[in-house]
C-alpha cells in the first residue's frame, strides 16, 4: 500500500508536471537559442557532441550508453545558463518540467535512482522475510499450505512492488518514452492490485469465488487503462484521475479498517497512512535541488524506505495474528 500507492496523489501530480513541456527554463530565449545552435553545430561553447553528427542507426545498446544530440544540447545549455544565474544569485528554474539536476554516470536523476533502488531492496527484504515467516516459522496445514489466507496475495504484492520500483529507478535514470510508459504502467498495476488487496483483507474475503467476483472488474479496468496509455494515448490528466482515485480509495479503506478492526498492530497501519501522507507534502513543497542533486521528489522517495519496513512488519504481524486465531479455532 505504502510505496507506489502513496504515489497516489501528489506523485501523480508530479508526473503531470513532468509531462508538461513548458517551464520557465525552456521558455527562456537564451536557452532556446543555445539549444538550436547546438543542434546545428553539435557544440555548446567548447564542448561538442559526436551524436549530433552521427548519421545512420546505432545499435540499441549504443543508444542506451549515451544521450542523443537533443538531450545533450538541452542538458549542457541548461548547465551553462544555471551557472550564469548562480553567479548573479538568481534562483534556479525548471526545464521541461524538471529541476536542473546534475547527471552522475549518465543517470538523469541520480538521487531518485538510488532511493528507488533502496525501496526495491526494502521490498525484497520484506518479501523474503514474509516468505520465510509463512513457510518456515509458522505452522502449516497437512498439505504444506499456510494457515494465513492472504499469504499468496501478499507474495504477489511484493513482486509487483519490486517491479514497480525497478522501473522507477530505470525511468529516473533515463526519461524516454519507453521507460516512462513502463514506469507508469507498473505503478498503475501495483495501485490496482493494492486496491484489490485492501478490499479483500478489510472485508475478510476468504472464499475464492467471491475474490474473483470482486477482483475481475478491477483487473479488467486496470488492464484496459494500461493498454490505453501504452497503445492509444498517454493522457497525463486521465492517468492522474485513475491513479488518485485508486490510491485515495485504498488509503481510506485501510484507515477505516484500522479504526474498527481492533487489530493488535493497527498502530503500524495508522503510522504508515499518516506518516506517508505527511511525507507526500514534499511533493507540494517542491524546492530546487540541493547542490544540483537532491530535490523534494528524491527526498520523498527516501522517506518511503523506512515506512516500507514498517508496512511489511504489519503484514507479518497480520499473518501471525490470523494464524494464531485459526489454530485456536481448530483445537
Amino acid at each position: 500500500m505504502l510505496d507506489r500507492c502513496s504515489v497516489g496523489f501528489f506523485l501523480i501530480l508530479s508526473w503531470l508536471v513532468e509531462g508538461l513541456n513548458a517551464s520557465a527554463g525552456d521558455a527562456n530565449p537564451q536557452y532556446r537559442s543555445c539549444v538550436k545552435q547546438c543542434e546545428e553545430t553539435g557544440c555548446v561553447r567548447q564542448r561538442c557532441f559526436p551524436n549530433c553528427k552521427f548519421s545512420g542507426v546505432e545499435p540499441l545498446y549504443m543508444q542506451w550508453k549515451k544521450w542523443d544530440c537533443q538531450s545533450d544540447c538541452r542538458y549542457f545549455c541548461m548547465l551553462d545558463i544555471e551557472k550564469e544565474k548562480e553567479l548573479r544569485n538568481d534562483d534556479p528554474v525548471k526545464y521541461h518540467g524538471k529541476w536542473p539536476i546534475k547527471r552522475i554516470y549518465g543517470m538523469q536523476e541520480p538521487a531518485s535512482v538510488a532511493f528507488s533502488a533502496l525501496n526495491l531492496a526494502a521490498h525484497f527484504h520484506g518479501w523474503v522475510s514474509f516468505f520465510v515467516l509463512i513457510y518456515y516459522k509458522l505452522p502449516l496445514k497437512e498439505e504444506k499450505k499456510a494457515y494465513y489466507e492472504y499469504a499468496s496475495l501478499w507474495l504477489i504484492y511484493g513482486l509487483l512492488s519490486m517491479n514497480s520500483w525497478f522501473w522507477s529507478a530505470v525511468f529516473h535514470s533515463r526519461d524516454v518514452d519507453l521507460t516512462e510508459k513502463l514506469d507508469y504502467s507498473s505503478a498503475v498495476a501495483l495501485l490496482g492490485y493494492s486496491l484489490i488487496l485492501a478490499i479483500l483483507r478489510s472485508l475478510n474475503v476468504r472464499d475464492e469465488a467471491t475474490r474473483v467476483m470482486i477482483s475481475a472488474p478491477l483487473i479488467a479496468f486496470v488492464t484496459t487503462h494500461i493498454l490505453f496509455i501504452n497503445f492509444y494515448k498517454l493522457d497525463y490528466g486521465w492517468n492522474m484521475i485513475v491513479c488518485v482515485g485508486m490510491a485515495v480509495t485504498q488509503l481510506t479503506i485501510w484507515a477505516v479498517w484500522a479504526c474498527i478492526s481492533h487489530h493488535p498492530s493497527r498502530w503500524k497501519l495508522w503510522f504508515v497512512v499518516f506518516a506517508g501522507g505527511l511525507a507526500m507534502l514534499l511533493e507540494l513543497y517542491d524546492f530546487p535541488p540541493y547542490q544540483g542533486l537532491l530535490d523534494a521528489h528524491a527526498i520523498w522517495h527516501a522517506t518511503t524506505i523506512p515506512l516500507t519496513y514498517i508496512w511489511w512488519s504489519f503484514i507479518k504481524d497480520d499473518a501471525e495474528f490470523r494464524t494464531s486465531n485459526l489454530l485456536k479455532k481448530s483445537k
Side-chain angles (χ1 to χ4, degrees), residues 15 171 180-188 229 234 236 239:
W15 282 351
F171 172 64
E180 180 183 49
K181 288 180 177 179
L182 286 169
D183 179 48
Y184 288 16
S185 299
S186 60
V188 169
I229 63 176
L234 182 49
Y236 294 94
N239 189 61

Side-chain angles (χ1 to χ4, degrees), residues 163-304:
N163 173 73
S164 183
W165 281 112
F166 171 79
W167 288 116
S168 172
V170 172
F171 172 64
H172 286 300
S173 176
R174 181 68 67 90
D175 179 1
V176 296
D177 183 65
L178 176 62
T179 58
E180 180 183 49
K181 288 180 177 179
L182 286 169
D183 179 48
Y184 288 16
S185 299
S186 60
V188 169
L190 177 58
L191 281 165
Y193 183 81
S194 299
L195 175 58
I196 292 171
L197 194 46
I199 295 171
L200 297 181
R201 180 63 190 96
S202 62
L203 296 179
N204 199 25
V205 179
R206 288 170 286 178
D207 179 68
E208 290 296 329
T210 307
R211 287 183 176 184
V212 171
M213 290 177 61
I214 293 173
S215 304
L218 287 169
I219 292 173
F221 174 77
V222 169
T223 303
T224 303
H225 179 68
I226 291 174
L227 292 173
F228 176 82
I229 63 176
N230 277 277
F231 301 107
Y232 182 70
K233 180 184 179 183
L234 182 49
D235 188 323
Y236 294 94
W238 171 241
N239 189 61
M240 179 187 70
I241 293 171
V242 169
C243 292
V244 167
M246 291 192 296
V248 171
T249 301
Q250 62 190 281
L251 287 173
T252 304
I253 289 172
W254 284 119
V256 171
W257 184 72
C259 292
I260 65 176
S261 66
H262 302 294
H263 195 284
S265 295
R266 59 187 178 276
W267 71 268
K268 294 181 181 179
L269 191 53
W270 284 333
F271 183 85
V272 169
V273 170
F274 291 110
L278 290 175
M280 285 189 288
L281 293 176
L282 287 166
E283 289 295 314
L284 282 182
Y285 185 57
D286 190 18
F287 52 82
Y290 176 73
Q291 297 294 319
L293 293 173
L294 199 63
D295 63 339
H297 185 74
I299 295 174
W300 178 81
H301 275 331
T303 62
T304 61

Side-chain angles (χ1 to χ4, degrees), residues 19-31:
L20 301 177
N21 199 39
S23 302
D26 49 276
N28 185 342
Q30 181 185 357
Y31 170 80

Side-chain angles (χ1 to χ4, degrees), residues 44 52 67 71 85 98 121 133-134 150-151 161 171 195 207 217 228 231 290-291 297 328:
V44 176
C52 292
W67 294 86
S71 298
K85 292 177 63 180
K98 294 179 178 289
L133 172 70
I134 290 294
Y150 306 94
S161 297
F171 172 64
L195 175 58
D207 179 68
F228 176 82
F231 301 107
Y290 176 73
Q291 297 294 319
H297 185 74
K328 289 177 182 178

Side-chain angles (χ1 to χ4, degrees), residues 297-317:
H297 185 74
I299 295 174
W300 178 81
H301 275 331
T303 62
T304 61
I305 298 169
L307 293 180
T308 296
Y309 280 100
I310 298 173
W311 177 237
W312 275 104
S313 176
F314 165 76
I315 296 169
K316 288 182 284 186
D317 288 350

Side-chain angles (χ1 to χ4, degrees), residues 119-154:
N119 272 287
L120 190 158
H123 275 286
F124 178 73
H125 176 272
W127 184 82
V128 170
S129 61
F130 177 74
F131 181 87
V132 171
L133 172 70
I134 290 294
Y135 293 104
Y136 292 95
K137 293 184 178 181
L138 292 178
L140 295 173
K141 298 179 181 178
E142 292 182 359
E143 58 272 25
K144 300 298 182 181
K145 289 185 178 181
Y147 278 95
Y148 185 49
E149 312 96 322
Y150 306 94
S152 59
L153 296 179
W154 283 119

